[in-house]
Amino acid sequence: MHFIVSSTSLLKNLQLVGGIISANVVLPILEDFLFELDGNGLTLTGGDMETMIKVQMEIQREITDAEGDKTGRICIPSKILLEYLKNLPEQPVHFTINKDDNSIEISSNTGKYKIGGEKADEYPKEPQPNDATSFTLPSVRLAEAINKTLFATSTDTLRPAMTGVYFELAQDGITFVATDAHRLVKLTRNDINCPEEGGIIVPRKPLQQLKNIIPGDDSPLEISYNSSHLFVQNNKIRLSCRLIEGKFPPYKAVIPADNPFNLIINRNDLISSLRRVSIFANKSTSQVVFDIVGNTVSISAQDIDFSYEGKEQLNCQYNGEDMKIAFNARLLIEMLNNMEGEEIKLELSMPSRAGIYRPVEKTENEDLLMLLMPLMVGI
């Protein structure tokens, strides 16, 4: 088995699949990349016990009379290969694999190197999309949905259903939901048609990798799912991952049906103010207080233990009763950073009920809602 490949191109593609490889693996062979050669195509695979990513790339080839050189499979240690390629300037790299002892010889313009590989037959098999339901959507739409929801997933393994993003599927659209019990994000797109209604919970880790490897354009992605796995692919990349079992919390019950008071404010001004004022907040709660009077909102924080205190005022447009309500500044800043547009609208009803944040400027075919639970003022 022999092939020639660009060092830069190989490194770039290996980094796409390498992000899924865990530091602590259950099977030692999962520390490897799986290389599969078929003519002028090379498929690179990385995975853990739950997720597998495959990327296809083209290779260069020297004329050879040996038919066996054109096909083959081998597992190559990921860590040493990545470290080598990161320190190698752009140039052709020759790989020669000895099928008798699974040794791998790597040749470049600067030298020759040898490492030991493992039999590809020992690498875990890719799950198959049996009885799967499929639909397509533009790549950029999935990337945007992941970016706007993933940050709100929980890290509490005792509540596994909340550690992923819920895909609520319907024939007239798809809704992406994430929550960690303190905040909730709901993104609905009505320009994506699913063949049937249903719901799946996709884990955080494969979604993190997926947003890094799919293109940010309108190229189509094929989405397939069955009772146990999600499959995402285009003409170059294929990802499969195990779904989270269980039922997603009844998120609709958390969203207030009526928040009559509306506050409109510049998003970047609010983020900047929160960053400054929160420096003086209690580090365990990150509490900031919004004191809304007329068309002015005072943002304040204090840490009694150290006699810290900070306060700023911002202009806003407010329609409602004067109110004092507190939020976690760290969570709020992260939410606002994952919204778009110049202005945001905060919908309120009373200090003890959740605040709903929305972008003032609507994106076509998209409805974005972010909810943040309040803190008790003074705590």
Side-chain angles (χ1 to χ4, degrees):
M1 178 177 167
H2 174 76
F3 61 90
I4 306 170
V5 65
S6 158
S7 60
T8 303
S9 178
L10 180 59
L11 175 61
K12 179 181 178 180
N13 284 281
L14 287 176
Q15 288 174 328
L16 293 179
V17 301
I20 201 65
I21 298 177
S22 301
N24 300 313
V25 296
V26 177
L27 300 175
I29 201 167
L30 289 174
E31 295 179 340
D32 296 352
F33 291 118
L34 172 62
F35 280 55
E36 297 176 282
L37 180 65
D38 185 8
N40 288 332
L42 179 65
T43 301
L44 309 171
T45 303
D48 57 20
M49 292 300 292
E50 304 294 328
T51 305
M52 187 172 290
I53 300 176
K54 290 179 174 287
V55 173
Q56 294 180 333
M57 63 176 295
E58 293 184 355
I59 63 170
Q60 306 169 35
R61 176 177 296 284
E62 290 180 336
I63 297 175
T64 174
D65 295 327
E67 188 67 27
D69 280 355
K70 299 179 182 179
T71 60
R73 305 167 73 237
I74 189 70
C75 290
I76 303 178
S78 61
K79 186 176 180 180
I80 190 169
L81 182 57
L82 285 174
E83 288 180 352
Y84 167 68
L85 292 172
K86 287 177 183 177
N87 289 282
L88 188 68
E90 162 60 23
Q91 59 187 282
V93 181
H94 298 239
F95 283 78
T96 303
I97 290 88
N98 187 324
K99 295 182 180 180
D100 295 331
D101 61 2
N102 296 313
S103 62
I104 302 148
E105 184 179 282
I106 306 173
S107 303
S108 67
N109 294 340
T110 55
K112 290 187 178 181
Y113 313 88
K114 190 174 182 179
I115 55 177
E118 296 185 71
K119 291 182 178 179
D121 293 342
E122 299 176 7
Y123 201 83
K125 304 296 183 187
E126 181 182 19
Q128 297 302 310
N130 300 322
D131 301 321
T133 302
S134 302
F135 61 96
T136 61
L137 80 169
S139 178
V140 66
R141 299 291 170 249
L142 182 58
E144 289 172 346
I146 295 173
N147 284 328
K148 292 177 180 179
T149 56
L150 192 62
F151 74 93
T153 56
S154 174
T155 57
D156 185 359
T157 56
L158 296 178
R159 295 183 287 185
M162 295 169 63
T163 62
V165 175
Y166 180 54
F167 289 36
E168 189 174 47
L169 310 165
Q171 293 184 352
D172 59 351
I174 180 170
T175 299
F176 305 87
V177 186
T179 182
D180 61 2
H182 301 289
R183 56 190 169 179
L184 180 146
V185 179
K186 180 175 78 75
L187 173 67
T188 300
R189 293 209 61 92
N190 57 24
D191 57 348
I192 301 170
N193 299 318
C194 305
E196 59 185 47
E197 294 187 357
I200 57 175
I201 308 174
V202 186
R204 179 186 182 94
K205 184 178 179 180
L207 289 177
Q208 285 178 320
Q209 300 305 315
L210 193 58
K211 74 174 185 177
N212 294 328
I213 65 176
I214 58 177
D217 55 29
D218 289 328
S219 60
L221 279 179
E222 181 181 349
I223 309 294
S224 304
Y225 64 94
N226 55 24
S227 59
S228 60
H229 285 84
L230 173 74
F231 307 87
V232 181
Q233 67 177 11
N234 59 17
N235 58 358
K236 180 183 177 183
I237 298 165
R238 185 161 77 248
L239 176 143
S240 59
C241 72
R242 186 178 299 276
L243 298 172
I244 296 176
E245 297 180 359
K247 191 173 182 179
F248 197 76
Y251 72 90
K252 294 178 182 178
V254 179
I255 303 173
D258 183 26
N259 274 17
F261 307 146
N262 295 326
L263 181 150
I264 296 176
I265 193 168
N266 183 279
R267 184 175 66 92
N268 287 327
D269 289 348
L270 180 56
I271 292 173
S272 298
S273 182
L274 287 169
R275 284 175 173 163
R276 291 188 295 267
V277 173
S278 63
I279 295 171
F280 303 90
N282 183 284
K283 295 301 180 285
S284 62
T285 64
S286 295
Q287 177 179 280
V288 294
V289 178
F290 287 23
D291 191 355
I292 310 167
V293 179
N295 286 327
T296 301
V297 55
S298 297
I299 302 174
S300 61
Q302 63 177 345
D303 189 337
I304 298 175
D305 294 337
F306 295 94
S307 299
Y308 294 163
E309 186 173 349
K311 184 176 182 179
E312 292 190 10
Q313 284 190 341
L314 292 175
N315 294 324
C316 65
Q317 302 174 44
Y318 183 59
N319 177 22
E321 299 175 0
D322 293 349
M323 183 183 301
K324 186 178 288 188
I325 187 170
F327 295 107
N328 182 306
R330 179 182 58 81
L331 298 182
L332 180 52
I333 290 170
E334 191 172 22
M335 278 178 47
L336 296 173
N337 278 331
N338 284 279
M339 297 182 77
E340 297 174 346
E342 184 178 352
E343 293 182 318
I344 58 103
K345 179 170 70 172
L346 170 57
E347 301 173 1
L348 300 167
S349 61
M350 59 182 65
S352 60
R353 296 185 67 183
I356 295 177
Y357 292 80
R358 301 178 188 267
V360 171
E361 187 176 340
K362 300 292 185 181
T363 300
E364 186 178 5
N365 298 315
E366 176 182 292
D367 180 44
L368 176 64
L369 176 152
M370 295 191 180
L371 176 150
L372 184 60
M373 297 301 295
L375 303 176
M376 186 178 296
V377 177
I379 298 299

